Amino acid sequence: MGPLTLALDAKNCSPSSDRSNGKIQNVQFNPKRFFASISTQEQKPFDFFRTLVDGVIAGGTAGVVVETALYPIDTIKTRLQAAQGGGKINLRGLYSGLTGNLAGVLPASAVFVGVYEPTKQKLLKLFPEKFSAVAHLTAGAIGGIAASLIRVPTEVVKQRMQTRQFASPPDAVRLIISKEGFRGLYAGYKSFLLRDLPFDAIQFCIYEQLRIGYKMAAKRDLNDPENAAIGAFAGALTGAITTPLDVIKTRLMVQGSTNQYRGVFDCVQAIVREEGPPALLKGFGPRVLWIGIGGSIFFGVLESAKRFLSQRHNTSDKSLDKKQE
């Protein structure tokens, strides 16, 4: 975030805070730190199970909302990347495969956020405050690995549906397994990890760091539009950076049993040799648009859901305390 970094340290700052107005008074500027950091030493005891469940609920909700809203853009992006040479793009059936995809997106998003949130909280306690960005990067990668076991088969079926190879998700699953074996559902798994692990790590790190810095600069909690704007920027930037990886992943996943490409490096060489280097940026516009808008919706819904769940927990805890008294 540059040589001048914002840091929030509960130990060295004034303890006064205006919670009723959502304002934070204990703010400190520290030019020695290269990343925004926030002290967790005065927070309530960490509840792993509650954080896990809240992450599952919030992540699943955000994933379903953003996938449903932006599926047509994703379909266009996939068809642009899968098209070889000067083939025309079919704009019919832009919602092909949505139902089957949601069946995978819901658990995948739930697993990702469910793993990411408690992992992030644990790492923030273990790492020095100046390494908060490392905690966010690591948590994003771990969450991505866990979710990939669900994401990859979902992505394979979705992209085969989007390129009109199958009539329905059940048919796609059945025919892929019969022709390619169970491994067919994990076609392009290595390229998927090559794209999604850095994507998840970078996107969530950028989002978390910008959000911490903005919160300290504003000296208050952020509202939903502000969270959405930060999420849009983080998503669009990360989407632009990882577009070549996305093209490679798409080509490997949609090739089916033809085995046109022998692997990631062979795919890159074939694309550059046959279509030129610019082909690695196919679908750049729709991808950046899709992920930018998607990041806005996802993080906006995610933070809103997390806040709602937190408020319910607080109300429940207060009621329990009164009963115990």
Side-chain angles (χ1 to χ4, degrees), residues 112-133:
F112 177 85
V113 181
V115 171
Y116 172 79
E117 285 293 335
T119 302
K120 177 187 71 174
Q121 296 297 335
K122 281 289 187 181
L123 292 177
L124 285 173
K125 290 179 178 292
L126 292 174
F127 289 1
E129 293 176 26
K130 62 182 179 180
F131 293 128
S132 66

Side-chain angles (χ1 to χ4, degrees), residues 10-272:
K11 296 183 297 182
N12 302 324
C13 302
S14 171
S16 63
S17 61
D18 185 359
R19 296 184 182 274
S20 62
N21 294 326
K23 293 186 178 181
I24 300 173
Q25 302 293 338
N26 51 339
V27 176
Q28 175 187 15
F29 291 91
N30 191 333
K32 295 181 180 179
R33 293 175 181 169
F34 290 90
F35 297 100
S37 61
I38 181 166
S39 174
T40 59
Q41 295 183 8
E42 295 189 5
Q43 292 180 354
K44 294 181 179 180
F46 178 58
D47 188 333
F48 178 87
F49 181 74
R50 176 178 287 185
T51 305
L52 173 66
V53 173
D54 285 358
V56 167
I57 296 173
T61 302
V64 169
V65 171
V66 71
E67 191 70 16
T68 302
L70 301 180
Y71 195 79
I73 300 177
D74 184 35
T75 298
I76 294 173
K77 182 268 303 181
T78 296
R79 292 176 181 176
L80 283 171
Q81 292 179 341
Q84 300 184 24
K88 294 183 179 180
I89 305 301
N90 188 346
L91 296 180
R92 294 181 179 179
L94 294 182
Y95 273 97
S96 295
L98 174 62
T99 303
N101 193 50
L102 289 180
V105 167
L106 175 58
S109 299
V111 167
F112 177 85
V113 181
V115 171
Y116 172 79
E117 285 293 335
T119 302
K120 177 187 71 174
Q121 296 297 335
K122 281 289 187 181
L123 292 177
L124 285 173
K125 290 179 178 292
L126 292 174
F127 289 1
E129 293 176 26
K130 62 182 179 180
F131 293 128
S132 66
V134 179
H136 294 139
L137 281 169
T138 306
I142 293 174
I145 291 174
S148 69
L149 299 177
I150 303 173
R151 280 179 174 175
V152 174
T154 301
E155 190 82 354
V156 169
V157 172
K158 179 192 75 173
Q159 295 196 329
R160 302 282 181 90
M161 291 290 298
Q162 288 176 330
T163 52
R164 314 302 289 271
Q165 295 185 30
F166 303 105
S168 67
D171 285 343
V173 173
R174 179 174 55 82
L175 292 173
I176 288 172
I177 293 177
S178 65
K179 293 181 180 180
E180 305 169 44
F182 186 76
R183 293 180 59 184
L185 292 174
Y186 284 88
Y189 184 74
K190 292 181 180 179
S191 65
F192 183 90
L193 291 182
L194 181 65
R195 181 202 71 173
D196 271 43
L197 288 192
F199 179 90
D200 291 332
I202 294 171
Q203 182 185 30
F204 273 77
C205 180
I206 292 175
Y207 172 75
E208 296 278 16
Q209 291 290 302
L210 288 177
R211 190 167 178 271
I212 291 172
Y214 190 98
K215 180 184 290 188
M216 289 185 294
K219 301 181 181 180
R220 58 174 173 77
D221 289 331
L222 305 187
N223 55 40
D224 289 340
E226 289 169 332
N227 288 323
I230 294 173
F233 178 80
L237 179 60
T238 311
I241 295 172
T242 58
T243 294
L245 301 177
D246 189 47
V247 172
I248 297 166
K249 185 263 323 173
T250 298
R251 292 294 181 89
L252 290 173
M253 282 188 168
V254 302
Q255 67 177 333
S257 57
T258 61
N259 292 323
Q260 182 180 358
Y261 308 111
R262 294 190 298 272
V264 173
F265 294 108
D266 180 61
C267 181
V268 173
Q269 291 176 345
I271 292 174
V272 172

